[in-house]
Amino acid sequence: MSESPLFPDRQFAAFLFDMDGTILTSIVAAERVWANWARKHGLDVEAFLPTIHGRRTIETIAGLGLEGVDPEVEARAVTEAELEDVEGIDAIEGAAAFLAGLPADRWAVVTSAPRALAERRITAAGLPLPTVMVASEDVSRGKPAPDCFLLAAERLGHPIADCLVFEDAPAGIAAAEAAGASVVVVTATHSHPLETPHPGIEGYGSPRATADGALSF
C-alpha cells in the first residue's frame, strides 16, 4: 500500500478480510482439487474452474443442478480433499505483517470456506489466526448475500458502516456492498482487471491506528 491513504477522510472501527485471494492465495491447490472433482462429474474443467472462487462449496455444487448428485455429500468430499492439499498456499505480499500489526479485536476473517479449511490454509500461509472468523457454516446464505459481513461486524461489536472490507472476488464485493461496508479490492491474484468503483491494492503496507484503536487505510 502507498503512504497516501486510500480513504483520507475516513477512520474505520474494524477491517474485515476475505481469505482466498485477499490475505492468501490458494488458487493452485483449490483448482487442483476442483479440477479432479469436475472431471469425475464430466464437466468442462476449463469453463468450470472460474466459477468456484468466492462462493461456498455447497452453493457452487448445488448451482450446477447435476442429476443424482447430493450437494452436501459432494461438498464434504471436496472439503476433505482441500484439507489434504495445502501445497502452494502462500500469503499475499505484506499480509502477515499487516494483520499482525492490527489490534486483535479490530479485524476478522470472513470466508466462504469451512472453518477447518480456513484455519488450515491460514496456518499454511504463515498468517495469524483471527480472534473472530465467520466461515461458511456460520451463515445460511453465502456471498453475494451480505449475511457474513453483517455477522462479522456484529461479533466485533461495530456497525458495518464503520467497517472496511478487503475482497478480491465479485461475489464478495457484492456482499460487502449489500451489507453497507466500504470496500477495497485486493488485485494480487487477478489476471485481468476487475470492473469496480472501489480502490484497489496489490499488497499490504503498514496498518495505521490511532490511540483509541480507530484504523485508517
Side-chain angles (χ1 to χ4, degrees):
M1 188 181 72
S2 67
E3 291 303 314
S4 301
L6 293 182
F7 300 88
D9 301 321
R10 288 290 308 275
Q11 287 188 331
F12 299 97
F15 289 164
L16 310 180
F17 298 89
D18 173 53
M19 184 182 68
D20 287 321
T22 299
I23 58 174
L24 59 84
T25 175
S26 64
I27 290 176
V28 173
E31 291 195 346
R32 265 197 307 268
V33 170
W34 276 103
N36 288 336
W37 183 88
R39 280 190 288 268
K40 175 184 173 183
H41 291 280
L43 300 178
D44 180 334
V45 173
E46 187 175 345
F48 171 67
L49 287 181
T51 71
I52 69 173
H53 302 294
R55 301 178 65 206
R56 298 195 306 170
T57 297
I58 192 169
E59 289 169 341
T60 297
I61 296 172
L64 295 170
L66 297 176
E67 186 176 352
V69 169
D70 185 330
E72 291 188 3
V73 172
E74 295 299 326
R76 285 196 296 269
V78 169
T79 298
E80 288 171 5
E82 288 183 311
L83 283 166
E84 293 296 322
D85 189 347
V86 294
E87 184 178 351
I89 293 178
D90 295 304
I92 299 297
E93 182 181 358
F98 188 83
L99 295 176
L102 294 174
D105 61 347
R106 294 298 183 110
W107 68 281
V109 168
V110 184
T111 178
S112 298
R115 183 176 302 273
L117 179 59
E119 291 177 349
R120 180 145 172 75
R121 285 181 171 171
I122 290 169
T123 300
L127 297 173
L129 287 169
T131 301
V132 172
M133 178 189 294
V134 174
S136 65
E137 57 264 51
D138 294 319
V139 293
S140 59
R141 299 189 304 165
K143 303 171 185 177
D147 309 31
C148 54
F149 288 119
L150 293 171
L151 180 58
E154 179 184 332
R155 289 181 174 177
L156 286 170
H158 299 292
I160 189 65
D162 293 337
C163 296
L164 176 62
V165 168
F166 293 74
E167 260 289 355
D168 75 300
I173 294 168
E177 291 171 341
S182 297
V183 181
V184 60
V185 180
V186 181
T187 63
T189 64
H190 291 182
S191 57
H192 302 287
L194 187 66
E195 291 188 14
T196 170
H198 308 293
I201 58 171
E202 289 189 10
Y204 296 85
S206 299
R208 305 181 184 95
T210 63
D212 63 357
L215 305 170
S216 59
F217 192 83

